[in-house]
Amino acid sequence: MEKNIAVIRGDGSSPEFVRETLRVLDRIAEKYGHTFRYTEVAMGGDAIDKYGDPLPEAELQKCRESDSVLLGSVGGPKWDSLPGDKRPEKGLLRLRAGMGLYSNSRPAKIWKQLSDASPLKRSIVDQGIDFIIVRELTGGVYFGEHKTETVNGEEKANDDMVYTEHEIERIGRIAFETARKRRNKVTSVDKANVLDTSRLWRKVMHRLKEEYPDVAYEDMLVDNCAMQIVKNPAQFDVIVTENMFGDILSDEASMITGSIGMIPSSSLGEGTVGVYEPIHGSAPDLAGMDKVNPMACILSAAMMLRYSFAMAEEADDIERAVGKVLDLGFRTADNQSEGCTVLGTAAITDEILKQI
Ligand code: IPM
Ligand code: MG
């Protein structure tokens, strides 16, 4: 197959792990007889430096025209003092909205080789951590009206949180369909004791669950969910929630796996064109040091092969190779433990390439 991949190399140490990920994709192309073409797209700090805009329309258009987007990570202290609209993160939000990517999947799965790295007690970890957060990505407070004004001599800020029925229903469907391919359980997370958007969320989810009688369903308040994730993570299969709750809970969920450097993500809309990115940041303090863990980005590329290109065997191949490299005791600095061999970004990728 021939595929056009838009590549956003990102900021900080991101260009290093994206570069290594492309080596893995090239190896897969060679082994399975595919052709992957890469189109460079500037976004975030890189685009601010080049064009004074975190995602110029022409760059967004390249992403829309691609078969999928591989994204590193954007942002860094250099751009931190810019106003909200000019910040690197704005590029990311525009990319999500501009491509209609309303469904963000973030798996929280512990790699058995790294279970000592989890901050949770061994007795909790051993019950298993393998769930997925399905986060609504183009609605809610992120995309409501934002306004700061002066009222009665003081500044007043306002961020509107908005949801419509169809926005809730389509993300709900993704959650139920995902659960059917896993362990058949959906936990819908909201704040229905306080928020109108959450009461609407719950109403739509309850309507929808009637269509999926084979899937176990429960409602959970977001504050309780934050507790349950550390108390008893084994209870979860698919968590579905709105944009900001998903942002917060997915960081918590990544933390309990012990290795944020291992977690990939996918963002999809109606078609098969998605954005695939590690959930960790651009680690600007590690830039240029050949230290950063490329695995989350490499595993994101595997997700791209699986979900956007229907290349399941190729995706399995990458995931198996990563597991094998961990089995062999190779680690990057973020995951180092006794008896392991610590390698740099490029050298650990060499090991992964050997296993493909
Ligand atoms: C994430 C990030 C982004 C978000 C930021 C960088 C805008 O935290 O992808 O989780 O809040 O969505
Ligand atoms: Mg976040």
Side-chain angles (χ1 to χ4, degrees):
M1 272 198 250
E2 286 190 24
K3 295 290 175 192
N4 255 313
I5 302 173
V7 176
I8 303 174
R9 291 189 189 255
D11 306 319
S13 57
S14 176
E16 292 167 53
F17 58 73
V18 171
R19 180 193 66 217
E20 298 308 313
T21 302
L22 297 185
R23 288 173 67 212
V24 172
L25 282 172
D26 287 341
R27 174 79 191 97
I28 289 288
E30 185 192 328
K31 177 168 171 183
Y32 292 88
H34 302 307
T35 305
F36 296 142
R37 289 199 189 82
Y38 307 122
T39 305
E40 303 280 339
V41 173
M43 190 181 94
D46 180 28
I48 294 171
D49 289 350
K50 284 185 182 136
Y51 308 110
D53 180 335
L55 184 63
E57 184 57 33
E59 300 299 289
L60 174 60
Q61 193 53 27
K62 287 190 217 165
C63 295
R64 288 203 193 98
E65 285 164 2
S66 73
D67 293 311
S68 248
V69 182
L70 180 73
L71 164 63
S73 186
V74 299
K78 182 175 171 195
W79 307 279
D80 269 354
S81 54
L82 293 171
D85 231 40
K86 293 266 173 307
R87 289 176 63 98
E89 291 83 354
K90 191 72 194 179
L92 187 59
L93 298 182
R94 248 189 245 157
L95 179 70
R96 291 170 178 170
M99 294 183 69
L101 307 173
Y102 59 81
S103 167
N104 179 224
S105 293
R106 299 186 162 183
K109 187 174 153 105
I110 201 144
W111 289 77
K112 64 176 188 321
Q113 302 92 333
L114 303 175
S115 44
D116 282 337
S118 172
L120 297 185
K121 274 195 284 202
R122 195 65 203 227
S123 57
I124 296 177
V125 172
D126 286 346
Q127 289 173 38
I129 299 176
D130 180 9
F131 63 94
I132 187 160
I133 296 186
V134 174
R135 169 187 176 193
E136 200 292 324
L137 203 59
T138 52
V141 71
Y142 277 63
F143 291 95
E145 194 191 345
H146 304 284
K147 191 168 66 192
T148 305
E149 60 197 328
T150 303
V151 179
N152 298 331
E154 63 171 351
E155 277 202 296
K156 177 183 166 195
N158 176 73
D159 300 294
D160 268 349
M161 184 165 188
V162 183
Y163 270 106
T164 57
E165 284 180 82
H166 84 275
E167 287 175 312
I168 300 168
E169 186 176 321
R170 65 187 182 183
I171 192 73
R173 273 192 200 287
I174 303 271
F176 281 103
E177 297 293 341
T178 305
R180 273 188 172 162
K181 294 187 201 122
R182 294 174 47 98
R183 299 193 309 279
N184 270 306
K185 182 178 175 192
V186 168
T187 304
S188 170
V189 173
D190 61 37
K191 189 71 185 172
N193 51 350
V194 177
L195 301 175
D196 266 23
T197 44
S198 282
R199 286 190 271 270
L200 181 62
W201 182 277
R202 208 174 262 213
K203 187 165 132 191
V204 173
M205 289 293 165
H206 284 200
R207 201 161 67 205
L208 203 55
K209 81 177 161 74
E210 300 306 320
E211 290 181 40
Y212 297 86
D214 52 316
V215 179
Y217 175 90
E218 66 181 351
D219 299 302
M220 194 177 278
L221 293 173
V222 62
D223 45 354
N224 182 30
C225 183
M227 280 199 307
Q228 296 299 327
I229 284 176
V230 289
K231 186 173 170 235
N232 176 16
Q235 70 185 290
F236 295 115
D237 179 23
V238 175
I239 290 176
V240 61
T241 193
E242 67 87 39
N243 204 346
M244 190 159 68
F245 297 160
D247 177 45
I248 298 167
L249 295 177
S250 64
D251 264 31
E252 186 190 14
S254 72
M255 190 65 229
I256 64 166
T257 70
S259 36
I260 189 162
M262 299 295 299
I263 305 191
S265 75
S266 69
S267 301
L268 286 154
E270 291 305 339
T272 59
V273 182
V275 170
Y276 296 85
E277 59 180 311
I279 80 154
H280 60 72
S282 59
D285 49 323
L286 299 179
M289 294 167 79
D290 187 45
K291 253 187 152 168
V292 72
N293 187 350
M295 287 181 175
C297 192
I298 290 170
L299 293 168
S300 300
M303 281 184 108
M304 170 189 305
L305 299 182
R306 188 183 305 283
Y307 297 117
S308 283
F309 303 164
M311 297 178 182
E313 197 186 334
E314 292 85 334
D316 286 345
D317 205 346
I318 295 176
E319 286 162 5
R320 206 177 322 111
V322 169
K324 194 74 213 294
V325 167
L326 295 175
D327 286 341
L328 292 171
F330 295 115
R331 303 280 188 272
T332 38
D334 53 319
N335 282 330
Q336 58 185 298
S337 65
E338 253 186 62
C340 289
T341 311
V342 176
L343 297 178
T345 313
I348 204 151
T349 308
D350 290 341
E351 295 304 324
I352 294 170
L353 292 174
K354 279 186 209 161
Q355 300 299 334
I356 294 177

PDB file of all heavy atoms in Angstrom, residues 106 135 142 247-248 250-251, ligand 2:
ATOM      1  N   ARG A 106      -6.934   7.153  24.762  1.00  0.00           N
ATOM      2  CA  ARG A 106      -5.670   7.100  25.499  1.00  0.00           C
ATOM      3  C   ARG A 106      -5.637   5.846  26.352  1.00  0.00           C
ATOM      4  O   ARG A 106      -6.260   5.782  27.412  1.00  0.00           O
ATOM      5  CB  ARG A 106      -5.551   8.344  26.381  1.00  0.00           C
ATOM      6  CG  ARG A 106      -5.558   9.610  25.524  1.00  0.00           C
ATOM      7  CD  ARG A 106      -5.302  10.857  26.320  1.00  0.00           C
ATOM      8  NE  ARG A 106      -4.910  11.936  25.416  1.00  0.00           N
ATOM      9  CZ  ARG A 106      -4.553  13.139  25.786  1.00  0.00           C
ATOM     10  NH1 ARG A 106      -4.537  13.451  27.057  1.00  0.00           N
ATOM     11  NH2 ARG A 106      -4.200  14.034  24.901  1.00  0.00           N
ATOM     12  N   ARG A 135     -11.820  10.218  25.277  1.00  0.00           N
ATOM     13  CA  ARG A 135     -12.021  11.621  25.642  1.00  0.00           C
ATOM     14  C   ARG A 135     -12.648  12.383  24.472  1.00  0.00           C
ATOM     15  O   ARG A 135     -12.119  12.334  23.356  1.00  0.00           O
ATOM     16  CB  ARG A 135     -10.647  12.222  25.987  1.00  0.00           C
ATOM     17  CG  ARG A 135     -10.637  13.726  26.135  1.00  0.00           C
ATOM     18  CD  ARG A 135      -9.191  14.244  26.301  1.00  0.00           C
ATOM     19  NE  ARG A 135      -9.180  15.694  26.354  1.00  0.00           N
ATOM     20  CZ  ARG A 135      -8.077  16.434  26.250  1.00  0.00           C
ATOM     21  NH1 ARG A 135      -6.900  15.862  26.106  1.00  0.00           N
ATOM     22  NH2 ARG A 135      -8.150  17.738  26.288  1.00  0.00           N
ATOM     23  N   TYR A 142     -13.048  23.747  26.311  1.00  0.00           N
ATOM     24  CA  TYR A 142     -11.928  24.073  25.422  1.00  0.00           C
ATOM     25  C   TYR A 142     -12.375  24.916  24.229  1.00  0.00           C
ATOM     26  O   TYR A 142     -11.600  25.699  23.698  1.00  0.00           O
ATOM     27  CB  TYR A 142     -11.279  22.797  24.871  1.00  0.00           C
ATOM     28  CG  TYR A 142     -10.267  22.155  25.776  1.00  0.00           C
ATOM     29  CD1 TYR A 142     -10.621  21.655  27.011  1.00  0.00           C
ATOM     30  CD2 TYR A 142      -8.941  22.022  25.359  1.00  0.00           C
ATOM     31  CE1 TYR A 142      -9.689  21.047  27.829  1.00  0.00           C
ATOM     32  CE2 TYR A 142      -8.004  21.413  26.173  1.00  0.00           C
ATOM     33  CZ  TYR A 142      -8.385  20.929  27.403  1.00  0.00           C
ATOM     34  OH  TYR A 142      -7.456  20.325  28.204  1.00  0.00           O
ATOM     35  N   ASP A 247      -8.876  15.255  29.878  1.00  0.00           N
ATOM     36  CA  ASP A 247      -7.508  15.778  29.931  1.00  0.00           C
ATOM     37  C   ASP A 247      -6.887  15.436  31.286  1.00  0.00           C
ATOM     38  O   ASP A 247      -5.776  14.908  31.372  1.00  0.00           O
ATOM     39  CB  ASP A 247      -7.548  17.299  29.726  1.00  0.00           C
ATOM     40  CG  ASP A 247      -6.166  17.911  29.843  1.00  0.00           C
ATOM     41  OD1 ASP A 247      -5.220  17.358  29.271  1.00  0.00           O
ATOM     42  OD2 ASP A 247      -6.037  18.952  30.533  1.00  0.00           O
ATOM     43  N   ILE A 248      -7.635  15.709  32.335  1.00  0.00           N
ATOM     44  CA  ILE A 248      -7.100  15.532  33.693  1.00  0.00           C
ATOM     45  C   ILE A 248      -6.967  14.045  34.035  1.00  0.00           C
ATOM     46  O   ILE A 248      -5.920  13.583  34.488  1.00  0.00           O
ATOM     47  CB  ILE A 248      -8.009  16.263  34.710  1.00  0.00           C
ATOM     48  CG1 ILE A 248      -8.016  17.773  34.398  1.00  0.00           C
ATOM     49  CG2 ILE A 248      -7.533  16.003  36.134  1.00  0.00           C
ATOM     50  CD1 ILE A 248      -9.093  18.565  35.116  1.00  0.00           C
ATOM     51  N   SER A 250      -6.712  11.509  32.115  1.00  0.00           N
ATOM     52  CA  SER A 250      -5.737  10.754  31.317  1.00  0.00           C
ATOM     53  C   SER A 250      -4.314  10.975  31.799  1.00  0.00           C
ATOM     54  O   SER A 250      -3.466  10.088  31.681  1.00  0.00           O
ATOM     55  CB  SER A 250      -5.879  11.035  29.814  1.00  0.00           C
ATOM     56  OG  SER A 250      -5.599  12.371  29.512  1.00  0.00           O
ATOM     57  N   ASP A 251      -4.027  12.130  32.376  1.00  0.00           N
ATOM     58  CA  ASP A 251      -2.708  12.304  32.992  1.00  0.00           C
ATOM     59  C   ASP A 251      -2.579  11.425  34.233  1.00  0.00           C
ATOM     60  O   ASP A 251      -1.549  10.791  34.469  1.00  0.00           O
ATOM     61  CB  ASP A 251      -2.470  13.773  33.389  1.00  0.00           C
ATOM     62  CG  ASP A 251      -1.683  14.527  32.327  1.00  0.00           C
ATOM     63  OD1 ASP A 251      -1.828  14.179  31.136  1.00  0.00           O
ATOM     64  OD2 ASP A 251      -0.941  15.464  32.677  1.00  0.00           O
TER      65      ASP A 251
HETATM   66 MG    MG B   2      -3.308  16.925  28.888  1.00  0.00          MG
END
